[in-house]
């Protein structure tokens, strides 16, 4: 199986999973780049996976369905037109045409019913975990997002993370503000700047690298706690409060 990013809108990636002449797409916010790619590569669509209800992830569903009647997997706890296979934690998604099987993870926080798909060493996590960052809390609480990120962080370190936005350099600029003395952040900025200068995506990325550079997975680090307390203006009792203060800071950054 090959996994290809299709850039969409300003900074989205629609992921295409392909094997032989079959393809599965993840979070098609726009049908046009998907249809163009399938046609130019001679691929037929087998299924669609959706992580959450935001329009930049589901906007292309109806146009894709009009061209191919395929199963659409998506979060059972969100109201999304066109979902034929609602899924939640523990469900298995079998995609025999591309030879892949995914396990569904409930990862609320960005939205209330957000799901992720994990299998074959790959994680499709929508707008939950980003490279050096995490999604905004539009519907969930800091405790929910902290738990969701913890669930993803427990996956094997060599998991390749396929998030849906190219936010890496701006996330890393924030990470450097949170931890000015973190040399792993400085190194990752240089590596990602080189990728972007060569017009390459910084996604996917290995999960293991997040532990050293993603401030949202580092709420137990002394420097992160200190910075969060400075931002909050008072002492913070636990990692969830630290996470909440860092997330709040990022919203204003
Ligand atoms: Zn979103």
């Amino acid at each position: 199986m090959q996994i290809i990013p299709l850039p969409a809108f300003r900074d989205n990636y629609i992921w295409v999973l392909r094997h032989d002449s079959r393809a599965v797409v993840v979070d098609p916010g726009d049908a046009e780049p998907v249809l163009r790619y399938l046609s130019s590569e001679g691929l037929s669509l087998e299924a669609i996976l959706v992580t959450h209800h935001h329009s930049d992830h589901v906007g292309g569903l109806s146009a894709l369905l009009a061209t191919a009647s395929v199963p659409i997997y998506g979060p059972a706890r969100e109201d999304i037109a066109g979902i034929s296979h609602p899924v939640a934690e523990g469900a298995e998604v079998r995609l025999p045409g591309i030879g892949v099987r995914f396990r569904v993870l409930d990862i609320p926080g960005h939205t209330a019913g957000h799901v992720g798909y994990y299998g074959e060493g790959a994680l499709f996590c929508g707008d939950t975990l980003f490279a050096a960052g995490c999604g905004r809390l539009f519907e969930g609480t800091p405790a929910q997002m902290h738990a969701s990120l913890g669930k993803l962080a427990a996956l094997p370190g060599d998991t390749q993370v396929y998030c849906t936005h190219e936010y890496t350099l701006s996330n890393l600029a924030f990470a450097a503000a949170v931890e000015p003395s973190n040399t792993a952040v400085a190194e990752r900025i240089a590596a990602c700047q080189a990728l972007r200068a060569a017009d390459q995506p910084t996604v996917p990325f290995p999960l293991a690298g997040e532990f050293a550079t993603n401030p949202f997975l580092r709420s137990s680090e002394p420097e992160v706690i200190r910075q969060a307390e400075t931002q909050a203006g008072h002492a913070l009792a636990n990692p969830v409060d630290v996470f909440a203060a860092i997330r709040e800071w990022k919203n204003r950054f």
Side-chain angles (χ1 to χ4, degrees):
M1 176 187 60
Q2 277 182 291
I3 306 177
I4 314 292
L6 301 182
F9 308 118
R10 214 172 74 121
D11 48 31
N12 284 68
Y13 291 126
I14 298 168
W15 295 104
V16 179
L17 289 55
R18 58 179 288 184
H19 178 68
D20 293 337
S21 62
R22 309 289 289 168
V24 168
V25 294
V26 183
D27 283 351
D30 187 2
E32 200 272 330
V34 175
L35 292 172
R36 190 160 16 101
Y37 181 79
L38 296 178
S39 152
S40 72
E41 297 289 315
L43 297 168
S44 65
L45 192 60
E46 152 148 334
I48 300 172
L49 306 183
V50 169
T51 62
H52 66 292
H53 68 82
H54 286 158
S55 62
D56 60 324
H57 298 252
V58 302
L61 289 181
S62 60
L64 289 174
L65 260 189
T67 67
S69 180
V70 297
I72 303 182
Y73 298 84
R77 291 186 291 131
E78 296 193 350
D79 186 20
I80 301 170
I83 299 282
S84 58
H85 291 61
V87 292
E89 179 80 25
E92 193 180 68
V93 175
R94 288 167 188 252
L95 304 165
I98 57 166
V100 175
R101 214 184 265 204
F102 288 117
R103 181 159 57 87
V104 177
L105 303 166
D106 280 340
I107 44 174
H110 177 67
T111 62
H114 199 302
V115 297
Y117 301 89
Y118 171 70
E120 311 294 322
L123 169 69
F124 296 88
C125 58
D127 289 353
T128 299
L129 174 66
F130 292 127
C134 76
R136 278 178 189 258
L137 306 185
F138 285 117
E139 297 169 10
T141 64
Q144 279 179 321
M145 186 58 129
H146 188 260
S148 294
L149 292 174
K151 187 186 283 186
L152 300 183
L155 295 172
D158 61 358
T159 300
Q160 290 290 317
V161 182
Y162 295 81
C163 62
T164 39
H165 286 279
E166 180 61 62
Y167 287 160
T168 311
L169 282 175
S170 70
N171 285 341
L172 283 166
F174 177 70
V178 176
E179 295 185 272
S181 65
N182 185 331
T183 54
V185 168
E187 285 162 18
R188 195 172 182 190
I189 288 173
C192 289
Q193 278 174 338
L195 282 171
R196 296 307 291 149
D199 214 19
Q200 296 294 310
T202 61
V203 187
F205 52 92
L207 179 62
E210 294 307 296
F211 300 115
T213 54
N214 190 326
F216 298 103
L217 296 182
R218 293 171 60 77
S219 17
S220 301
E221 292 295 318
E223 190 175 18
V224 176
I225 295 170
R226 221 167 29 243
Q227 292 274 52
E229 290 181 337
T230 302
Q231 291 295 324
H234 55 83
L236 298 168
N238 59 62
V240 171
D241 290 347
V242 172
F243 169 80
I246 298 289
R247 185 57 260 184
E248 189 58 36
W249 180 11
K250 175 69 163 63
N251 293 345
R252 315 186 294 270
F253 185 74

